């Protein structure tokens, strides 16, 4: 339970980890409402005045379908506080899908840009604008200079920013250049659970890995969309993943290979 003694202990461990890492505990924060995630984030959640990276697995780097849905739910709690600016490289954001996820599309402002440089510039302006609660932008590999400018813009107006790594027109993958983001999430689709009555489709699910977090600890989970207002975030943790959840090869197979 989010308010249990175990949750409070884990949140305290996260704060201690932030102090030991030499970072300032971000406040206020946006918690997930589940100690299995919040305990890995300094302060017990994502800072509201900061920006975060979301990277897709496989073809998600081009299509951006599963990652866009994850980003919409990640930003949904903040989206109710003001305008939402979504900066696009191509006009393929499926708005009816956002409606099905409970995203407040009446607050959505979509801006299409010519290239990544213009997109990062528009994203920075949006984050620094009063009244914009969330700004989301597509970019393949923002460098450290662009990342620091985004963070300053977040701190200036208290904006919550997300950079969705995407190559909407394909092409070669750029090399990593470092990042000034507070956190980096890798997201891929996961099989959804069937509804209790066995009819229709269950809620969408994602395989989510927190690869890097300033002052925090990495982790991996299966998350699904929860339609019930059970907490501060519209995600439900289905399971927590670890490296040891992969079954080791059998001795017979090892002997056969040897």
């Amino acid at each position: 339970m989010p308010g249990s003694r175990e949750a409070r202990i884990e949140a305290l461990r996260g704060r201690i980890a932030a102090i030991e890492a030499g970072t300032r505990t971000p406040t206020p924060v946006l918690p997930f409402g589940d100690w299995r995630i919040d305990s890995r984030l300094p302060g017990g959640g994502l800072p509201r005045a900061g920006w975060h990276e979301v990277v897709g697995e496989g073809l998600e780097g081009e299509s951006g379908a599963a990652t866009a849905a994850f980003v919409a739910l990640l930003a949904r709690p903040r989206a109710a506080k003001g305008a939402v600016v979504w900066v696009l490289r191509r006009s393929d954001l499926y708005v009816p899908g956002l409606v099905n996820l409970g995203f407040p599309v009446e607050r959505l402002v979509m801006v299409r840009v010519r290239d990544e440089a213009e997109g990062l510039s528009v994203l920075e302006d949006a984050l620094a604008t009063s009244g914009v609660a969330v700004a989301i932008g597509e970019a393949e590999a923002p460098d450290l200079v662009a990342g620091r400018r985004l963070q300053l813009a977040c701190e200036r107006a208290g904006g919550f920013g997300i950079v969705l790594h995407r190559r909407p027109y394909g092409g070669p993958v750029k090399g990593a250049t470092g990042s000034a983001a507070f956190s980096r999430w890798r997201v891929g689709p996961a099989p959804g659970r069937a509804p209790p009555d066995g009819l229709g489709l269950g809620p969408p699910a994602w395989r989510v890995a927190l690869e890097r977090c300033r002052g925090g600890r990495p982790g991996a989970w299966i998350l699904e969309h929860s339609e019930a207002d059970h907490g501060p975030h519209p995600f439900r943790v289905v399971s927590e993943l670890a490296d040891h959840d992969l079954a080791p090869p059998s001795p017979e197979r090892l002997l056969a290979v040897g």
Side-chain angles (χ1 to χ4, degrees):
M1 295 293 291
S4 66
R5 180 173 179 271
E6 186 177 20
R8 293 194 297 271
I9 291 175
E10 290 296 333
L12 181 59
R13 286 174 180 168
R15 295 187 180 95
I16 293 173
I19 295 172
E20 290 176 345
T23 59
R24 177 177 59 86
T25 301
T27 181
V29 298
L30 179 63
F32 281 81
D34 191 298
W35 67 269
R36 288 169 288 185
I37 302 179
D38 292 338
S39 63
R40 296 178 180 270
L41 302 169
L46 296 177
R48 297 181 186 180
W51 70 281
H52 313 269
E53 293 179 299
V54 175
V55 183
E57 293 181 348
L59 291 178
E60 286 297 323
E62 294 184 19
S63 67
T67 49
F70 174 81
V71 164
L73 288 178
L74 186 66
R76 200 180 83 180
R78 288 295 298 161
K81 307 297 182 181
V84 181
V85 177
W86 199 309
V87 184
L88 301 158
R89 291 284 307 280
R90 63 185 299 176
S91 301
D92 57 354
L93 183 62
Y94 188 58
V95 176
L98 298 182
V99 174
N100 290 335
L101 293 173
F103 191 84
V105 295
E106 68 277 2
R107 297 177 179 271
L108 180 63
V109 178
M110 291 185 288
V111 181
R112 184 177 179 182
V113 295
R114 293 169 297 184
D115 52 32
E116 180 162 318
E118 184 179 45
L120 291 172
S121 177
V122 173
L123 181 61
E124 179 186 346
D125 289 342
L127 287 170
T129 301
S130 177
V132 174
V134 180
I136 303 164
E138 296 179 355
E140 182 179 354
D143 58 25
L144 283 172
V145 174
R148 293 191 184 104
R149 292 179 64 93
L150 292 177
Q151 181 57 37
L152 289 174
C154 290
E155 295 174 358
R156 195 176 307 136
F160 184 80
I162 301 174
V163 170
L164 175 57
H165 284 243
R166 187 186 177 199
R167 295 175 292 114
Y169 298 102
V173 179
K174 294 182 181 178
T177 59
S179 174
F182 179 85
S183 65
R184 179 184 177 95
W185 303 77
R186 185 169 295 276
V187 178
R193 298 189 298 175
D197 58 8
L199 301 176
L201 298 176
W206 300 265
R207 185 183 180 98
V208 178
L210 174 59
E211 294 187 330
R212 184 182 60 79
C213 178
R214 199 182 309 155
R217 297 175 295 147
W221 309 268
I222 297 293
L223 304 182
E224 69 178 14
H225 175 214
S226 174
E227 296 182 355
D229 294 330
H230 69 289
H233 232 289
F235 287 115
R236 178 189 295 115
V237 177
V238 177
S239 62
E240 189 167 12
L241 304 177
D243 293 338
H244 60 262
D245 71 309
L246 300 177
S250 64
E252 293 80 2
R253 183 175 177 80
L254 289 175
L255 291 174
V257 173

